[in-house]
Amino acid sequence: MSNALLQDHAPGLEVCLFPDVREESYIVDSIEGDVPGYIRGHYYLNGPAKFERGDLKYRNWLDGDGMVCCLRFDDGQIRFTNRFVRGRKFQQEEEQGRAVFATFGTRFDGDKMRRGIATESPYNVSVYRYRDALIAFGEQSVPLELNPETLETMGEFDFDRQLNSLSPFSAHPKIDSRSGEFMNFGISFAGRQPLVNYYRFDANGVLACRKRATLDHACSIHDFAVSEHYAVIYLSPYVLDASAMMGEGKSTMDALEWRPELGGTLLVLNRMDGEEVARISIGDRYCLHTINCFEDANRLVLDVIELERPVYDQYQVLPDMFNDVPFGWPVRITMELETRRVVDRQQLDYHGAPDFPAIDPKLETQAYDDFWMLGIGTAGRPGRKFLDTLVHANWNGAIEEYRCPSGCYVGGEPVFIADPHDASGGAVMCQEMDSNGPTSSFVIFRACDVSHGPIARLRLRTPVHFGFHASFYAR
Ligand SMILES: [Fe+2]
Protein backbone atom coordinates (compact mmCIF):
# COMPACT_ATOMS: atom_id res chain seq x y z
CA MET A 1 0.00 0.00 0.00
CA SER A 2 1.40 3.42 -0.86
CA ASN A 3 2.22 5.74 2.00
CA ALA A 4 -0.29 8.21 0.60
CA LEU A 5 -3.07 5.79 1.53
CA LEU A 6 -1.75 5.13 5.01
CA GLN A 7 -3.32 6.98 7.89
CA ASP A 8 -1.56 7.98 11.06
CA HIS A 9 -3.32 6.35 14.01
CA ALA A 10 -0.45 7.29 16.34
CA PRO A 11 -0.18 11.08 16.40
CA GLY A 12 2.93 12.27 18.20
CA LEU A 13 4.45 8.80 18.39
CA GLU A 14 7.88 10.01 17.23
CA VAL A 15 8.04 12.29 20.28
CA CYS A 16 7.30 9.36 22.59
CA LEU A 17 9.66 6.88 20.92
CA PHE A 18 12.75 9.03 21.19
CA PRO A 19 12.65 10.89 24.50
CA ASP A 20 15.85 12.59 25.55
CA VAL A 21 16.46 10.09 28.35
CA ARG A 22 18.80 10.98 31.16
CA GLU A 23 20.16 8.75 33.87
CA GLU A 24 18.50 9.93 37.06
CA SER A 25 17.54 8.90 40.57
CA TYR A 26 14.96 10.88 42.55
CA ILE A 27 11.91 10.65 44.79
CA VAL A 28 8.75 10.79 42.68
CA ASP A 29 6.93 13.87 43.93
CA SER A 30 4.06 14.06 41.45
CA ILE A 31 1.56 11.37 42.37
CA GLU A 32 -2.12 11.52 41.44
CA GLY A 33 -4.60 9.23 43.15
CA ASP A 34 -3.72 6.70 45.82
CA VAL A 35 -0.99 4.12 45.57
CA PRO A 36 -2.25 1.02 47.40
CA GLY A 37 -0.35 0.62 50.67
CA TYR A 38 0.42 -3.03 49.98
CA ILE A 39 2.68 -2.08 47.06
CA ARG A 40 6.09 -2.31 48.69
CA GLY A 41 9.19 -3.52 46.93
CA HIS A 42 11.02 -3.12 43.64
CA TYR A 43 9.61 -2.79 40.13
CA TYR A 44 12.04 -3.21 37.23
CA LEU A 45 11.58 -2.54 33.51
CA ASN A 46 13.99 -2.99 30.60
CA GLY A 47 13.68 -1.64 27.08
CA PRO A 48 15.48 0.06 24.19
CA ALA A 49 16.22 3.72 24.90
CA LYS A 50 18.91 5.00 22.56
CA PHE A 51 18.27 4.83 18.83
CA GLU A 52 21.09 6.79 17.27
CA ARG A 53 24.87 6.78 17.32
CA GLY A 54 26.59 9.69 15.65
CA ASP A 55 24.95 10.06 12.24
CA LEU A 56 23.46 6.58 12.30
CA LYS A 57 19.77 6.22 13.10
CA TYR A 58 18.56 2.74 13.96
CA ARG A 59 15.76 1.29 11.86
CA ASN A 60 14.12 -1.20 14.21
CA TRP A 61 12.62 -0.93 17.73
CA LEU A 62 14.77 -3.90 18.77
CA ASP A 63 18.00 -2.05 17.89
CA GLY A 64 18.13 0.49 20.74
CA ASP A 65 20.49 0.20 23.70
CA GLY A 66 18.84 -1.19 26.81
CA MET A 67 17.99 1.00 29.77
CA VAL A 68 16.55 -0.34 33.01
CA CYS A 69 14.11 1.65 35.15
CA CYS A 70 13.48 0.89 38.80
CA LEU A 71 10.69 2.10 41.07
CA ARG A 72 11.39 1.38 44.72
CA PHE A 73 8.25 1.52 46.84
CA ASP A 74 9.20 2.15 50.47
CA ASP A 75 6.94 3.28 53.27
CA GLY A 76 5.20 6.27 51.74
CA GLN A 77 8.00 7.05 49.31
CA ILE A 78 8.73 6.02 45.73
CA ARG A 79 12.22 6.37 44.27
CA PHE A 80 12.72 6.29 40.49
CA THR A 81 16.11 5.30 39.07
CA ASN A 82 17.08 4.67 35.44
CA ARG A 83 20.40 3.66 33.92
CA PHE A 84 21.74 2.27 30.68
CA VAL A 85 22.88 -1.32 30.68
CA ARG A 86 26.58 -1.12 29.91
CA GLY A 87 27.46 -4.10 27.78
CA ARG A 88 30.38 -4.34 25.37
CA LYS A 89 28.41 -2.62 22.60
CA PHE A 90 27.30 0.32 24.72
CA GLN A 91 30.72 0.88 26.26
CA GLN A 92 32.70 0.75 23.03
CA GLU A 93 30.25 2.97 21.19
CA GLU A 94 30.21 5.52 24.02
CA GLU A 95 34.00 5.60 24.07
CA GLN A 96 34.27 6.00 20.31
CA GLY A 97 31.27 8.32 19.92
CA ARG A 98 29.98 6.35 16.95
CA ALA A 99 28.19 3.16 15.95
CA VAL A 100 30.53 0.16 15.98
CA PHE A 101 28.31 -2.92 15.97
CA ALA A 102 25.58 -4.25 13.71
CA THR A 103 22.17 -4.44 15.38
CA PHE A 104 19.13 -6.62 14.79
CA GLY A 105 17.71 -4.38 12.07
CA THR A 106 20.54 -2.04 11.08
CA ARG A 107 23.76 -2.79 9.19
CA PHE A 108 26.27 -0.18 8.04
CA ASP A 109 29.65 -0.05 6.33
CA GLY A 110 32.38 -1.43 8.56
CA ASP A 111 30.02 -2.68 11.26
CA LYS A 112 31.27 -5.39 13.59
CA MET A 113 29.68 -8.54 14.89
CA ARG A 114 30.56 -10.60 17.93
CA ARG A 115 33.30 -12.98 16.79
CA GLY A 116 32.03 -12.23 13.28
CA ILE A 117 28.90 -14.34 13.68
CA ALA A 118 26.41 -12.76 16.09
CA THR A 119 25.09 -9.34 16.94
CA GLU A 120 26.57 -7.77 20.07
CA SER A 121 23.70 -7.52 22.52
CA PRO A 122 22.09 -4.21 23.45
CA TYR A 123 20.65 -5.99 26.57
CA ASN A 124 17.28 -4.37 26.02
CA VAL A 125 14.64 -7.09 26.52
CA SER A 126 14.03 -8.06 30.15
CA VAL A 127 15.28 -7.81 33.73
CA TYR A 128 14.74 -10.28 36.58
CA ARG A 129 15.89 -10.92 40.10
CA TYR A 130 17.52 -14.29 40.64
CA ARG A 131 18.81 -15.25 44.08
CA ASP A 132 20.56 -12.05 45.26
CA ALA A 133 21.27 -10.71 41.80
CA LEU A 134 19.46 -8.44 39.36
CA ILE A 135 20.14 -9.52 35.78
CA ALA A 136 19.38 -7.81 32.47
CA PHE A 137 18.84 -9.88 29.34
CA GLY A 138 19.27 -9.41 25.62
CA GLU A 139 18.19 -11.78 22.89
CA GLN A 140 20.19 -15.05 22.91
CA SER A 141 23.09 -13.78 25.01
CA VAL A 142 24.48 -14.37 28.49
CA PRO A 143 22.93 -11.69 30.75
CA LEU A 144 24.58 -8.87 32.68
CA GLU A 145 24.38 -8.37 36.43
CA LEU A 146 23.21 -5.00 37.74
CA ASN A 147 23.27 -3.46 41.19
CA PRO A 148 19.61 -3.88 42.33
CA GLU A 149 19.50 -0.32 43.77
CA THR A 150 21.77 1.84 41.62
CA LEU A 151 21.37 -0.28 38.42
CA GLU A 152 25.11 0.00 37.84
CA THR A 153 26.34 -2.73 35.47
CA MET A 154 28.61 -5.14 37.31
CA GLY A 155 29.61 -7.60 34.58
CA GLU A 156 28.49 -10.72 32.80
CA PHE A 157 26.31 -13.06 34.85
CA ASP A 158 27.63 -16.45 33.77
CA PHE A 159 26.31 -18.49 36.72
CA ASP A 160 29.81 -18.81 38.22
CA ARG A 161 31.38 -19.72 34.89
CA GLN A 162 28.87 -22.46 34.17
CA LEU A 163 28.06 -20.55 30.95
CA ASN A 164 30.55 -18.95 28.62
CA SER A 165 30.07 -15.69 26.78
CA LEU A 166 28.98 -17.51 23.59
CA SER A 167 26.32 -19.69 25.25
CA PRO A 168 22.98 -19.01 23.54
CA PHE A 169 20.58 -17.92 26.26
CA SER A 170 17.14 -16.42 25.71
CA ALA A 171 15.74 -13.28 27.35
CA HIS A 172 12.79 -15.26 28.76
CA PRO A 173 14.08 -17.47 31.56
CA LYS A 174 11.51 -19.11 33.83
CA ILE A 175 12.31 -18.78 37.52
CA ASP A 176 10.17 -21.10 39.67
CA SER A 177 9.38 -19.25 42.88
CA ARG A 178 8.35 -22.53 44.54
CA SER A 179 11.42 -24.63 43.79
CA GLY A 180 14.01 -21.91 43.22
CA GLU A 181 14.97 -23.45 39.88
CA PHE A 182 15.95 -21.33 36.90
CA MET A 183 15.24 -22.66 33.42
CA ASN A 184 16.05 -21.23 30.01
CA PHE A 185 16.70 -22.17 26.41
CA GLY A 186 18.95 -20.91 23.63
CA ILE A 187 19.13 -21.49 19.90
CA SER A 188 22.40 -22.43 18.18
CA PHE A 189 22.14 -21.17 14.61
CA ALA A 190 25.78 -21.78 13.71
CA GLY A 191 26.82 -24.97 11.97
CA ARG A 192 24.85 -27.27 9.74
CA GLN A 193 22.50 -28.58 12.38
CA PRO A 194 20.46 -25.96 14.22
CA LEU A 195 19.94 -26.89 17.86
CA VAL A 196 17.93 -25.78 20.83
CA ASN A 197 19.75 -25.88 24.17
CA TYR A 198 17.72 -26.40 27.33
CA TYR A 199 19.18 -25.35 30.69
CA ARG A 200 18.04 -26.01 34.24
CA PHE A 201 19.84 -24.57 37.24
CA ASP A 202 18.83 -26.07 40.59
CA ALA A 203 17.87 -24.11 43.71
CA ASN A 204 21.57 -23.68 44.55
CA GLY A 205 22.36 -22.19 41.15
CA VAL A 206 24.11 -25.33 39.91
CA LEU A 207 23.64 -26.18 36.23
CA ALA A 208 21.85 -29.48 36.80
CA CYS A 209 20.90 -30.04 33.16
CA ARG A 210 22.04 -28.84 29.76
CA LYS A 211 20.49 -30.80 26.96
CA ARG A 212 20.38 -30.21 23.22
CA ALA A 213 17.61 -31.10 20.80
CA THR A 214 17.86 -30.87 17.03
CA LEU A 215 15.72 -28.47 15.03
CA ASP A 216 14.51 -29.14 11.50
CA HIS A 217 14.96 -25.46 10.69
CA ALA A 218 16.94 -22.58 12.17
CA CYS A 219 13.83 -21.15 13.84
CA SER A 220 13.91 -17.80 15.59
CA ILE A 221 12.37 -18.50 19.01
CA HIS A 222 11.90 -15.78 21.61
CA ASP A 223 10.07 -17.38 24.55
CA PHE A 224 9.09 -20.75 26.01
CA ALA A 225 7.01 -22.06 28.91
CA VAL A 226 7.34 -24.48 31.80
CA SER A 227 4.81 -26.45 33.82
CA GLU A 228 5.65 -28.51 36.92
CA HIS A 229 7.12 -31.38 34.90
CA TYR A 230 7.57 -30.12 31.33
CA ALA A 231 9.17 -27.40 29.27
CA VAL A 232 7.45 -26.46 26.01
CA ILE A 233 8.97 -24.59 23.08
CA TYR A 234 6.61 -23.35 20.37
CA LEU A 235 8.71 -23.68 17.21
CA SER A 236 7.29 -21.25 14.66
CA PRO A 237 8.61 -21.51 11.09
CA TYR A 238 10.40 -18.15 11.17
CA VAL A 239 13.72 -19.22 9.74
CA LEU A 240 17.08 -17.47 9.99
CA ASP A 241 19.47 -17.72 7.07
CA ALA A 242 22.71 -17.11 8.97
CA SER A 243 24.76 -17.33 5.76
CA ALA A 244 22.92 -14.26 4.43
CA MET A 245 24.17 -12.31 7.46
CA MET A 246 27.75 -13.46 6.97
CA GLY A 247 27.98 -13.59 3.20
CA GLU A 248 25.57 -10.92 2.02
CA GLY A 249 25.81 -8.58 4.96
CA LYS A 250 22.09 -8.76 5.69
CA SER A 251 20.73 -7.70 9.04
CA THR A 252 19.16 -10.37 11.25
CA MET A 253 15.80 -8.83 10.38
CA ASP A 254 16.43 -9.20 6.65
CA ALA A 255 17.88 -12.71 7.04
CA LEU A 256 14.66 -13.98 8.67
CA GLU A 257 12.06 -15.57 6.45
CA TRP A 258 8.47 -16.50 7.36
CA ARG A 259 7.80 -19.97 5.96
CA PRO A 260 4.30 -20.99 7.06
CA GLU A 261 4.34 -23.91 4.62
CA LEU A 262 6.82 -25.63 6.95
CA GLY A 263 4.29 -25.61 9.79
CA GLY A 264 4.86 -25.10 13.51
CA THR A 265 5.79 -27.67 16.15
CA LEU A 266 5.36 -27.87 19.89
CA LEU A 267 8.56 -29.34 21.31
CA VAL A 268 7.83 -30.82 24.75
CA LEU A 269 10.80 -31.63 27.01
CA ASN A 270 11.06 -33.22 30.39
CA ARG A 271 11.67 -30.24 32.65
CA MET A 272 14.01 -32.12 34.95
CA ASP A 273 16.46 -33.67 32.47
CA GLY A 274 15.60 -32.01 29.14
CA GLU A 275 14.82 -35.33 27.44
CA GLU A 276 12.46 -34.98 24.51
CA VAL A 277 8.90 -36.06 25.33
CA ALA A 278 6.97 -35.15 22.19
CA ARG A 279 6.89 -33.11 18.99
CA ILE A 280 3.38 -32.09 18.08
CA SER A 281 2.31 -30.24 14.92
CA ILE A 282 0.61 -26.93 15.60
CA GLY A 283 -0.57 -25.25 12.39
CA ASP A 284 1.04 -22.29 10.71
CA ARG A 285 0.81 -19.36 13.09
CA TYR A 286 3.57 -17.45 14.85
CA CYS A 287 4.15 -17.32 18.61
CA LEU A 288 6.31 -14.59 20.10
CA HIS A 289 5.23 -14.85 23.75
CA THR A 290 3.73 -17.52 25.96
CA ILE A 291 1.29 -16.74 28.77
CA ASN A 292 1.55 -19.79 31.04
CA CYS A 293 1.68 -23.59 31.03
CA PHE A 294 0.22 -26.10 33.48
CA GLU A 295 -0.83 -29.70 33.84
CA ASP A 296 -4.41 -30.89 34.12
CA ALA A 297 -4.57 -34.59 34.92
CA ASN A 298 -2.96 -36.29 31.89
CA ARG A 299 -3.14 -33.18 29.76
CA LEU A 300 -0.73 -30.33 29.26
CA VAL A 301 -2.18 -26.85 28.76
CA LEU A 302 -0.12 -24.21 26.95
CA ASP A 303 -1.43 -20.65 26.76
CA VAL A 304 0.13 -18.35 24.19
CA ILE A 305 -0.45 -15.30 22.04
CA GLU A 306 -0.66 -16.58 18.47
CA LEU A 307 -0.19 -14.15 15.59
CA GLU A 308 -1.04 -14.54 11.92
CA ARG A 309 2.65 -14.06 11.13
CA PRO A 310 5.79 -12.56 12.72
CA VAL A 311 5.72 -8.99 13.98
CA TYR A 312 9.41 -7.91 14.02
CA ASP A 313 9.05 -6.24 10.61
CA GLN A 314 6.32 -4.07 12.12
CA TYR A 315 8.89 -2.51 14.48
CA GLN A 316 10.38 -0.55 11.59
CA VAL A 317 11.21 1.73 9.97
CA LEU A 318 11.22 3.91 13.08
CA PRO A 319 9.24 5.98 13.91
CA ASP A 320 6.62 4.32 11.72
CA MET A 321 5.47 1.20 13.54
CA PHE A 322 2.78 -1.45 13.27
CA ASN A 323 1.63 -0.13 9.84
CA ASP A 324 0.35 -3.55 8.87
CA VAL A 325 0.41 -5.32 12.21
CA PRO A 326 -0.83 -8.94 12.08
CA PHE A 327 -3.88 -9.93 14.08
CA GLY A 328 -3.24 -12.03 17.13
CA TRP A 329 -5.24 -13.87 19.75
CA PRO A 330 -4.76 -15.45 23.17
CA VAL A 331 -5.01 -19.18 22.50
CA ARG A 332 -5.25 -22.07 24.99
CA ILE A 333 -3.78 -25.26 23.50
CA THR A 334 -4.52 -28.50 25.32
CA MET A 335 -2.25 -31.45 24.51
CA GLU A 336 -2.50 -35.11 25.32
CA LEU A 337 1.08 -36.27 25.64
CA GLU A 338 0.31 -39.97 25.50
CA THR A 339 -1.18 -39.70 22.01
CA ARG A 340 0.92 -36.66 21.07
CA ARG A 341 -2.12 -34.73 19.90
CA VAL A 342 -3.66 -31.34 20.41
CA VAL A 343 -7.08 -32.24 21.80
CA ASP A 344 -8.49 -28.75 22.28
CA ARG A 345 -7.93 -25.16 21.17
CA GLN A 346 -9.66 -22.19 22.78
CA GLN A 347 -9.20 -18.81 21.15
CA LEU A 348 -10.33 -15.67 22.95
CA ASP A 349 -12.23 -13.10 20.94
CA TYR A 350 -9.79 -10.21 21.10
CA HIS A 351 -8.69 -8.42 17.93
CA GLY A 352 -6.32 -5.70 19.09
CA ALA A 353 -2.97 -7.26 18.05
CA PRO A 354 -2.07 -8.13 21.65
CA ASP A 355 1.41 -8.58 23.11
CA PHE A 356 3.30 -8.54 26.42
CA PRO A 357 1.00 -10.99 28.26
CA ALA A 358 1.46 -11.38 32.02
CA ILE A 359 -0.14 -13.24 34.91
CA ASP A 360 0.10 -13.26 38.69
CA PRO A 361 3.65 -14.67 38.98
CA LYS A 362 2.75 -16.94 41.87
CA LEU A 363 0.42 -18.82 39.48
CA GLU A 364 3.13 -19.60 36.92
CA THR A 365 3.11 -23.36 36.18
CA GLN A 366 -0.33 -23.58 37.85
CA ALA A 367 -3.96 -23.39 36.72
CA TYR A 368 -5.17 -19.76 36.65
CA ASP A 369 -7.86 -17.62 35.06
CA ASP A 370 -6.79 -13.99 34.65
CA PHE A 371 -4.09 -12.39 32.55
CA TRP A 372 -3.17 -8.95 31.29
CA MET A 373 -1.64 -7.70 28.04
CA LEU A 374 -1.20 -4.62 25.89
CA GLY A 375 -3.09 -4.09 22.66
CA ILE A 376 -3.46 -1.80 19.66
CA GLY A 377 -7.00 -0.45 19.43
CA THR A 378 -6.66 0.46 15.75
CA ALA A 379 -5.30 -2.92 14.61
CA GLY A 380 -6.65 -3.85 11.19
CA ARG A 381 -6.52 -0.30 9.86
CA PRO A 382 -3.61 0.48 7.56
CA GLY A 383 -1.17 3.07 8.82
CA ARG A 384 1.06 3.84 11.76
CA LYS A 385 -0.15 2.87 15.20
CA PHE A 386 1.11 1.87 18.63
CA LEU A 387 0.12 0.12 21.83
CA ASP A 388 -2.69 2.15 23.34
CA THR A 389 -4.73 -0.33 25.37
CA LEU A 390 -4.31 -2.26 28.62
CA VAL A 391 -6.38 -5.45 28.50
CA HIS A 392 -7.56 -7.69 31.33
CA ALA A 393 -8.79 -11.06 30.09
CA ASN A 394 -10.16 -14.18 31.73
CA TRP A 395 -10.20 -17.64 30.15
CA ASN A 396 -13.96 -17.71 30.74
CA GLY A 397 -14.07 -15.28 27.79
CA ALA A 398 -14.53 -12.01 29.69
CA ILE A 399 -12.42 -9.12 28.46
CA GLU A 400 -12.26 -5.56 29.74
CA GLU A 401 -9.86 -2.83 28.73
CA TYR A 402 -8.51 0.64 29.34
CA ARG A 403 -7.91 2.68 26.21
CA CYS A 404 -5.56 5.66 26.45
CA PRO A 405 -6.72 9.13 25.45
CA SER A 406 -5.73 10.17 21.90
CA GLY A 407 -2.03 10.97 21.61
CA CYS A 408 -1.20 8.77 24.61
CA TYR A 409 0.35 5.29 24.50
CA VAL A 410 1.12 2.45 26.87
CA GLY A 411 4.31 0.47 27.27
CA GLY A 412 5.96 -2.09 29.48
CA GLU A 413 4.58 -5.55 30.21
CA PRO A 414 1.74 -5.09 32.71
CA VAL A 415 3.01 -6.30 36.05
CA PHE A 416 0.65 -7.90 38.57
CA ILE A 417 1.18 -6.94 42.20
CA ALA A 418 -0.64 -9.10 44.74
CA ASP A 419 -2.64 -7.69 47.65
CA PRO A 420 -1.61 -9.90 50.60
CA HIS A 421 -4.94 -9.17 52.33
CA ASP A 422 -7.25 -9.79 49.37
CA ALA A 423 -6.72 -12.85 47.18
CA SER A 424 -9.16 -11.52 44.59
CA GLY A 425 -7.61 -8.04 44.60
CA GLY A 426 -4.22 -6.82 43.50
CA ALA A 427 -3.00 -4.20 41.07
CA VAL A 428 -1.40 -4.04 37.66
CA MET A 429 1.09 -1.41 36.58
CA CYS A 430 2.40 -0.30 33.19
CA GLN A 431 3.69 2.85 31.53
CA GLU A 432 1.68 5.59 29.89
CA MET A 433 3.24 8.29 27.74
CA ASP A 434 1.51 11.48 26.61
CA SER A 435 2.91 12.91 23.39
CA ASN A 436 1.76 16.33 24.52
CA GLY A 437 4.76 17.42 26.51
CA PRO A 438 5.84 14.66 26.29
CA THR A 439 5.31 13.26 29.75
CA SER A 440 5.91 9.78 31.13
CA SER A 441 4.00 8.10 33.93
CA PHE A 442 3.68 4.75 35.55
CA VAL A 443 0.00 3.99 35.98
CA ILE A 444 -1.55 1.63 38.52
CA PHE A 445 -4.95 -0.05 38.03
CA ARG A 446 -7.12 -2.35 40.07
CA ALA A 447 -6.12 -5.61 38.45
CA CYS A 448 -9.67 -6.82 37.80
CA ASP A 449 -11.15 -3.43 36.94
CA VAL A 450 -8.78 -1.83 34.45
CA SER A 451 -11.66 -0.29 32.49
CA HIS A 452 -12.18 2.06 35.46
CA GLY A 453 -8.89 3.73 34.54
CA PRO A 454 -5.80 4.28 36.67
CA ILE A 455 -6.23 4.54 40.43
CA ALA A 456 -2.80 6.15 40.69
CA ARG A 457 -0.40 7.89 38.37
CA LEU A 458 3.29 8.40 39.13
CA ARG A 459 4.47 11.24 36.93
CA LEU A 460 8.17 11.23 36.11
CA ARG A 461 10.23 14.41 35.98
CA THR A 462 11.74 13.48 32.63
CA PRO A 463 10.17 11.29 29.94
CA VAL A 464 11.61 7.80 29.56
CA HIS A 465 11.52 5.22 26.77
CA PHE A 466 8.86 2.53 26.27
CA GLY A 467 9.97 -0.66 27.94
CA PHE A 468 9.47 -4.27 26.95
CA HIS A 469 9.42 -6.64 29.95
CA ALA A 470 8.97 -5.82 33.62
CA SER A 471 8.97 -7.61 36.97
CA PHE A 472 8.01 -6.81 40.57
CA TYR A 473 9.53 -8.11 43.82
CA ALA A 474 7.54 -7.52 46.99
CA ARG A 475 9.39 -6.68 50.16
FE1 LIG B 1 9.77 -10.81 25.00
Side-chain angles (χ1 to χ4, degrees):
M1 187 171 298
S2 80
N3 281 335
L5 295 175
L6 297 177
Q7 289 190 320
D8 186 6
H9 304 292
L13 179 61
E14 61 284 349
V15 178
C16 299
L17 280 171
F18 310 125
D20 183 17
V21 286
R22 291 172 229 162
E23 295 185 314
E24 297 180 288
S25 184
Y26 56 85
I27 303 296
V28 178
D29 53 14
S30 177
I31 300 175
E32 294 166 19
D34 292 314
V35 178
Y38 60 81
I39 300 183
R40 294 166 58 154
H42 290 79
Y43 164 92
Y44 297 106
L45 172 72
N46 195 1
K50 186 175 177 67
F51 292 93
E52 57 182 37
R53 284 282 175 190
D55 296 334
L56 182 76
K57 289 189 169 25
Y58 289 145
R59 291 168 56 81
N60 192 289
W61 197 20
L62 298 173
D63 291 346
D65 291 299
M67 173 176 259
V68 171
C69 298
C70 171
L71 286 167
R72 191 180 77 199
F73 295 80
D74 271 329
D75 294 326
Q77 222 174 44
I78 302 166
R79 173 171 288 277
F80 173 80
T81 303
N82 62 330
R83 206 169 168 102
F84 279 107
V85 185
R86 287 166 163 75
R88 194 176 291 111
K89 171 186 182 297
F90 184 88
Q91 290 190 66
Q92 286 196 27
E93 294 186 341
E94 284 289 294
E95 283 165 15
Q96 298 186 29
R98 65 181 180 91
V100 175
F101 293 100
T103 57
F104 174 84
T106 308
R107 300 290 308 257
F108 54 93
D109 285 346
D111 61 10
K112 287 188 185 172
M113 302 189 83
R114 174 180 276 212
R115 302 208 178 177
I117 55 169
T119 48
E120 196 67 57
S121 180
Y123 298 99
N124 61 10
V125 179
S126 59
V127 58
Y128 300 103
R129 272 216 170 159
Y130 172 58
R131 295 158 70 83
D132 295 329
L134 179 69
I135 40 184
F137 291 79
E139 189 73 37
Q140 299 295 341
S141 60
V142 172
L144 295 181
E145 182 172 1
L146 311 180
N147 179 303
E149 299 296 336
T150 66
L151 306 181
E152 183 185 351
T153 303
M154 298 161 71
E156 209 162 60
F157 189 89
D158 59 7
F159 295 78
D160 291 330
R161 295 183 293 284
Q162 295 178 96
L163 299 178
N164 68 57
S165 58
L166 288 180
S167 304
F169 210 61
S170 94
H172 279 289
K174 305 301 169 195
I175 304 168
D176 190 323
S177 57
R178 290 178 175 76
S179 70
E181 294 166 286
F182 179 113
M183 287 136 293
N184 203 355
F185 76 98
I187 306 289
S188 299
F189 294 107
R192 293 191 173 184
Q193 175 62 65
L195 300 166
V196 57
N197 300 264
Y198 170 74
Y199 309 85
R200 184 176 65 82
F201 297 86
D202 68 16
N204 297 313
V206 174
L207 181 57
C209 164
R210 179 175 179 175
K211 189 84 179 173
R212 295 179 177 86
T214 58
L215 296 176
D216 293 339
H217 312 285
C219 303
S220 163
I221 311 297
H222 179 69
D223 194 3
F224 80 131
V226 297
S227 67
E228 280 191 47
H229 300 98
Y230 300 100
V232 187
I233 306 176
Y234 190 128
L235 303 171
S236 307
Y238 195 31
V239 182
L240 182 73
D241 179 0
S243 66
M245 295 172 66
M246 309 308 123
E248 300 167 39
K250 283 188 177 179
S251 66
T252 311
M253 175 72 250
D254 292 340
L256 282 165
E257 189 180 1
W258 175 234
R259 303 206 36 208
E261 75 280 4
L262 298 175
T265 303
L266 298 172
L267 173 61
V268 183
L269 306 174
N270 180 306
R271 169 173 150 170
M272 182 67 74
D273 60 17
E275 286 289 341
E276 187 171 320
V277 174
R279 290 188 191 227
I280 301 172
S281 293
I282 188 65
D284 61 358
R285 284 184 176 172
Y286 175 70
C287 173
L288 181 65
H289 287 122
T290 65
I291 305 173
N292 197 14
C293 187
F294 60 93
E295 293 154 36
D296 180 12
N298 62 341
R299 292 178 169 185
L300 183 60
V301 180
L302 174 69
D303 295 338
V304 301
I305 303 287
E306 276 189 341
L307 304 171
E308 293 174 301
R309 53 187 162 78
V311 70
Y312 289 160
D313 63 330
Q314 299 296 308
Y315 298 168
Q316 65 180 47
V317 176
L318 294 171
D320 290 341
M321 292 179 63
F322 299 118
N323 276 356
D324 184 26
V325 68
F327 280 116
W329 308 267
V331 177
R332 170 162 281 184
I333 301 163
T334 305
M335 292 166 261
E336 198 173 71
L337 294 181
E338 205 174 300
T339 56
R340 303 182 178 198
R341 285 186 313 131
V342 171
V343 292
D344 191 43
R345 282 178 63 95
Q346 179 194 358
Q347 178 171 305
L348 292 191
D349 189 22
Y350 179 76
H351 298 278
D355 199 6
F356 301 107
I359 66 168
D360 175 351
K362 75 172 180 294
L363 296 175
E364 288 168 1
T365 77
Q366 306 295 310
Y368 72 108
D369 295 311
D370 295 283
F371 63 99
W372 294 265
M373 56 193 180
L374 303 182
I376 300 174
T378 49
R381 297 188 218 167
R384 179 169 82 159
K385 34 197 157 329
F386 198 73
L387 302 159
D388 58 7
T389 308
L390 170 65
V391 185
H392 163 223
N394 185 298
W395 285 106
N396 68 12
I399 292 175
E400 52 134 5
E401 62 181 43
Y402 163 76
R403 181 96 173 254
C404 294
S406 176
C408 298
Y409 306 96
V410 289
E413 170 190 332
V415 157
F416 178 89
I417 304 168
D419 179 348
H421 306 295
D422 180 1
S424 63
V428 292
M429 182 163 74
C430 66
Q431 294 174 285
E432 186 173 83
M433 197 150 180
D434 184 344
S435 60
N436 299 299
T439 57
S440 273
S441 304
F442 285 92
V443 277
I444 300 171
F445 300 78
R446 277 193 286 272
C448 292
D449 186 18
V450 303
S451 57
H452 175 86
I455 56 170
R457 177 182 296 276
L458 319 177
R459 226 179 262 287
L460 302 184
R461 289 184 191 170
T462 314
V464 296
H465 57 295
F466 291 115
F468 288 152
H469 295 288
S471 50
F472 183 82
Y473 302 91
R475 185 160 55 79

